[in-house]
Amino acid sequence: MSAILAASDIQVRFNDRLVLDRASLSIDERDRLGMVGRNGSGKSTFLKVLAGLLPADSGEIMRRRDAMVGYLPQEFSLDRGLTVAENIRAGAQYVLDLIREFESLSPTSGRHAELEHRIQTLDGWGLDYRIDTAMAHLSCPPGDRRIDTLSGGEARRVALCRAIIARPDLLILDEPTNHLDTESIEWVGEYLENYPGAFLLVTHDRCFLDRITSGIVELANGRTYSYTGNYTDYLLAKAERDSTAEANEHKRQMFLRRELDWVRRGPSARRTKSKERLERYFKVAGEKPPEIDQNVDLVVPPPPPLGNRTVELVNVGMELGGRRLFSGLSLNFPNGQRVGITGRNGLGKTTLLRIMLGQLPPTEGLVKTGELTRFNYVDQGRLQLNEEKTVLEEVGDGTEFVIFGEGKLSLRSYLKRFLFTDETIGSQVKYLSGGERSRLLLARILKNGGNFLILDEPTNDLDLATLRVLEEALIAFPGVVVVVSHDRYFLNRVCTDILAFEGGGRVVHSVGSYDYYAEKRARQAESAKQRAGDVAKRKTPETPKAGKTDRPRKLTFKEARELEGMEAAILAAEENVARIEALFAQPNFHRDHGPRTPELMAELKADQERVVGLYARWQELEAIRESAQRSPAGSRQDPSLPSAGQPGV
């Protein structure tokens, strides 16, 4: 395949900081690439360089002639003087210009045929249909809305829609799933799976990366490292690379220790052999050791003790603007529970949080809050940062310590656990990257303590390494955690329960991970579809065949017991899969478990196959049970018994 775009030896420097140091990347037709790296590593900068919006200090960018590149930045801009529909349509201006030129030319001209081919390649004739479809699936606001009336989330949906509808040869997306609900993320995933061109994207959504990418580009220390496969493949390959680098460094140190004594003695005879040995020593001594990733040591202050009652919802319902969001919601939040709230935007998730916090009275029902319950709420919009303040001033609020349980922790030590260096701690907020700002906000909010954490979309803008640490901190938190998120991987790792807003005022509580809830919902939908088909069949009478009875078999006692324990067996198997996947995701995996990599990979594959087998067996047993229950033969009266209205003999 030919390259659409190739970047070689790109260098970008901001003041004294070298952000990109000879970074290189080639993107071919149909490439599906995901870019990963720590916040502040230069991912957004590199994307801007590739999109042609930021000049590099040195290096070369080569782009295929007539190649069209679409770009969605993290900090996008929309024309506030235009409507939603006009902004989206402007994203396809290149295609509209081709169509306008095509219509102005004579059908006999050579350019006419060339333009027709190009418009067909870009599916220009289906542009209006694509716009309507994308707006519907991304839950964009109405096309006649003005941009200045939109919320931040609504504006981002419009910007994403504008970026994708032109179907450019190369699509560059910076955090496209931020502020999207689960169903919208699913649609974007399907869209990119079937995308005819190439794309490069940055996202924190690991399930999304696993699903749609066939290559991962890691940006670290200003340089790029390419891996074949999806995000899970990348984690395994990176663990092997780090393990090899660590082994090589160990050999280097052993060599230096062995040679050091000889060098100190300073051999008197400067023979050729001695000189070569000395030169080799200084060459090896001058080599840099491998870079070791620093990890956020996320600090959630130990919470005060909780009482027997934390928060209890009793038949809670809410109506806003004449629209009923939900009703009859009863739920307890025992200590140690971690509830993930998910569902489409606008169904009332944030409203429920405000009701629990006492900020909004419900229209029906009651909220009972324990006397010892202390909330700590991380708002979806987060708090605004003062651009002119330093990092230390923003978190400190005039103090030099963070209350940590019964003791204190110095503010600088606290901030260093969030990967802020001494230099960064003293710098102004306006010089921070988007990810560094997110870490700063987390540091500022989490220092407030509390024993009932409520987090509304905490994963937005956090890098993958910080996300893993946040997950570990929440799993170890000895209080109650309620988190609104559309990050499936995050929900699977952290949550013990799922509270799903399914629309139509329906809110479902499910014990277990998000995947478990999604699988149950899919089975229920399939069962409903089968029942609808059976009803349709029963409406069409069939002529019974003489001498034959259709009696489906029932579950045996052993099968009934097996079906009864199937949910627990599946949950246990999925938890073991999640445990092994979490091991691979650990930053220190190669150090702690490197030699066990083949064994763990085999165990993971076996457990994944076991989960698939258990689901298949469950469907088989459910089909037998439902068939027996639905069948008229299953409820047919025994002819030896008297029918109603007949006396017994």
Side-chain angles (χ1 to χ4, degrees):
M1 291 187 184
S2 61
I4 298 175
L5 184 147
S8 58
D9 296 329
I10 300 299
Q11 283 195 325
V12 173
R13 186 183 297 274
F14 293 144
N15 298 323
D16 295 331
R17 182 186 172 200
L18 188 61
V19 179
L20 299 177
D21 182 15
R22 292 175 301 186
S24 300
L25 180 64
S26 178
I27 304 176
D28 295 337
E29 297 173 350
R30 300 285 297 173
D31 269 354
R32 275 93 173 86
L33 302 179
M35 179 173 284
V36 300
R38 290 192 174 279
N39 288 141
S41 62
K43 299 188 298 296
S44 294
T45 299
F46 195 30
L47 295 190
K48 288 178 183 177
V49 172
L50 296 178
L53 299 180
L54 179 70
D57 294 327
S58 63
E60 187 178 13
I61 299 282
M62 291 183 292
R63 184 183 296 179
R64 194 179 66 192
R65 187 174 68 87
D66 291 335
M68 182 181 173
V69 177
Y71 174 53
L72 172 70
Q74 273 196 62
E75 298 178 1
F76 55 88
S77 61
L78 298 171
D79 190 331
R80 301 179 71 83
L82 300 179
T83 64
V84 166
E86 289 168 343
N87 266 281
I88 292 173
R89 198 169 180 81
Q93 192 59 51
Y94 173 78
V95 180
L96 294 172
D97 290 343
L98 292 178
I99 293 175
R100 189 176 298 110
E101 184 184 355
F102 171 82
E103 291 175 341
S104 68
L105 293 175
S106 167
T108 59
S109 70
R111 176 68 173 162
H112 189 276
E114 180 185 337
L115 286 174
E116 184 176 22
H117 175 72
R118 181 63 174 157
I119 292 169
Q120 287 176 345
T121 302
L122 295 171
D123 192 23
W125 308 123
L127 178 62
D128 290 332
Y129 172 76
R130 290 206 312 279
I131 290 176
D132 292 340
T133 302
M135 287 182 67
H137 282 94
L138 291 175
S139 301
C140 286
D144 57 357
R145 284 269 302 274
R146 306 288 297 184
I147 295 300
D148 52 13
T149 68
L150 303 183
S151 67
E154 288 174 327
R156 183 159 191 85
R157 290 165 183 271
V158 173
L160 175 59
C161 193
R162 183 181 65 175
I164 65 176
I165 52 96
R167 293 180 71 174
D169 303 288
L170 171 60
L171 192 56
I172 300 176
L173 304 173
D174 198 349
E175 297 290 2
T177 60
N178 272 7
H179 306 291
L180 296 186
D181 55 46
T182 307
E183 293 183 9
S184 297
I185 292 172
E186 284 291 317
W187 182 82
V188 173
E190 290 177 8
Y191 179 88
L192 291 177
E193 281 181 315
N194 299 306
Y195 192 69
F199 63 77
L200 169 66
L201 58 89
V202 171
T203 179
H204 65 267
D205 191 322
R206 289 150 291 185
C207 285
F208 193 76
L209 279 174
D210 260 347
R211 173 182 174 182
I212 67 169
T213 58
S214 58
I216 297 293
V217 180
E218 181 187 12
L219 186 59
N221 306 309
R223 297 193 176 187
T224 52
Y225 303 88
S226 296
Y227 299 84
T228 302
N230 60 17
Y231 180 69
T232 299
D233 298 324
Y234 152 73
L235 287 177
L236 295 172
K238 179 174 169 57
E240 291 180 6
R241 191 191 89 187
D242 290 345
S243 181
T244 301
E246 189 176 86
N248 290 338
E249 175 61 14
H250 178 71
K251 291 178 182 177
R252 188 176 79 92
Q253 293 297 334
M254 290 287 290
F255 169 80
L256 292 176
R257 281 196 294 269
R258 190 171 58 247
E259 296 291 288
L260 184 59
D261 183 57
W262 178 83
V263 172
R264 282 174 174 169
R265 287 200 306 268
S268 55
R270 293 297 181 180
R271 298 185 300 274
T272 301
K273 203 168 194 180
S274 298
K275 288 181 180 179
E276 289 176 353
R277 184 174 177 182
L278 197 62
E279 288 172 359
R280 186 179 174 215
Y281 168 81
F282 284 114
K283 180 181 178 182
V284 174
E287 292 175 358
K288 288 184 178 180
E291 295 279 351
I292 299 175
D293 286 341
Q294 285 185 298
N295 293 302
V296 176
D297 186 9
L298 201 66
V299 177
V300 181
L306 272 166
N308 292 329
R309 173 186 288 166
T310 59
V311 173
E312 182 181 359
L313 306 179
V314 182
N315 293 320
V316 170
M318 191 65 192
E319 185 176 312
L320 285 176
R323 175 173 165 240
R324 181 166 293 279
L325 297 177
F326 52 86
S327 61
L329 180 58
S330 295
L331 193 62
N332 233 336
F333 294 87
N335 193 8
Q337 189 180 48
R338 299 185 298 276
V339 180
I341 301 180
T342 186
R344 293 198 316 273
N345 292 330
L347 296 181
K349 301 187 298 296
T350 301
T351 300
L352 176 61
L353 299 186
R354 294 183 62 196
I355 290 173
M356 293 169 59
L357 289 164
Q359 297 177 356
L360 194 66
T363 52
E364 62 183 55
L366 184 65
V367 179
K368 300 178 181 179
T369 304
E371 293 183 3
L372 299 178
T373 301
R374 300 289 179 268
F375 292 109
N376 190 354
Y377 179 38
V378 180
D379 190 359
Q380 182 177 9
R382 308 284 178 90
L383 304 173
Q384 294 299 314
L385 294 170
N386 188 325
E387 298 279 320
E388 300 304 319
K389 282 187 175 182
T390 66
V391 170
L392 189 68
E393 291 169 342
E394 268 295 285
V395 176
D397 295 324
T399 64
E400 296 183 2
F401 297 94
V402 174
I403 301 300
F404 197 76
E406 297 181 357
K408 292 181 179 180
L409 187 67
S410 76
L411 200 55
R412 286 186 174 273
S413 297
Y414 176 72
L415 285 169
K416 285 180 179 178
R417 297 195 180 194
F418 286 83
L419 288 189
F420 289 107
T421 63
D422 287 322
E423 181 183 357
T424 312
I425 288 172
S427 66
Q428 290 177 301
V429 171
K430 62 185 176 183
Y431 297 119
L432 300 182
S433 69
E436 288 170 332
R437 289 168 180 254
S438 294
R439 290 208 308 270
L440 177 59
L441 284 164
L442 274 178
R444 191 169 89 172
I445 295 167
L446 292 178
K447 78 182 181 71
N448 296 328
N451 50 26
F452 198 113
L453 293 183
I454 298 181
L455 312 176
D456 197 353
E457 295 288 2
T459 62
N460 285 347
D461 301 319
L462 293 181
D463 61 44
L464 297 175
T466 306
L467 269 177
R468 289 198 295 269
V469 179
L470 175 60
E471 290 162 358
E472 296 296 338
L474 294 179
I475 290 170
F477 183 69
V480 179
V481 176
V482 175
V483 55
V484 174
S485 179
H486 303 299
D487 188 326
R488 186 167 173 164
Y489 193 100
F490 181 86
L491 292 172
N492 283 336
R493 281 210 69 198
V494 170
C495 297
T496 60
D497 300 71
I498 297 295
L499 194 64
F501 284 67
E502 296 185 343
R506 178 176 166 81
V507 182
V508 175
H509 174 227
S510 172
V511 177
S513 68
Y514 179 84
D515 279 352
Y516 182 57
Y517 154 74
E519 180 63 29
K520 285 199 297 185
R521 189 182 183 195
R523 287 198 308 272
Q524 290 166 358
E526 184 63 28
S527 296
K529 184 178 178 182
Q530 289 178 352
R531 285 195 295 271
D534 291 339
V535 169
K537 286 180 182 178
R538 285 199 292 270
K539 287 182 179 179
T540 305
E542 294 182 1
T543 305
K545 294 184 179 179
K548 286 192 177 181
T549 59
D550 185 15
R551 283 182 180 269
R553 79 175 185 87
K554 298 181 179 180
L555 291 172
T556 65
F557 176 76
K558 184 177 179 182
E559 288 173 334
R561 292 295 298 273
E562 183 183 1
L563 180 59
E564 186 179 329
M566 190 62 77
E567 288 197 32
I570 290 175
L571 186 57
E574 288 180 332
E575 285 177 348
N576 203 41
V577 169
R579 177 185 64 80
I580 300 173
E581 288 178 339
L583 280 180
F584 282 124
Q586 287 178 0
N588 297 325
F589 170 81
H590 66 279
R591 185 190 69 191
D592 299 337
H593 309 285
R596 296 183 58 212
T597 298
E599 174 193 342
L600 288 170
M601 289 180 65
E603 185 179 350
L604 176 61
K605 183 178 179 181
D607 284 334
Q608 288 172 333
E609 291 174 352
R610 173 171 163 75
V611 170
V612 173
L614 285 170
Y615 273 124
R617 179 60 173 163
W618 192 356
Q619 291 173 351
E620 178 187 351
L621 295 175
E622 279 285 357
I624 295 173
R625 182 183 65 81
E626 290 182 4
S627 177
Q629 288 179 345
R630 290 196 307 264
S631 172
S635 58
R636 191 177 295 145
Q637 190 176 37
D638 191 323
S640 65
L641 298 178
S643 62
Q646 288 182 328
V649 177

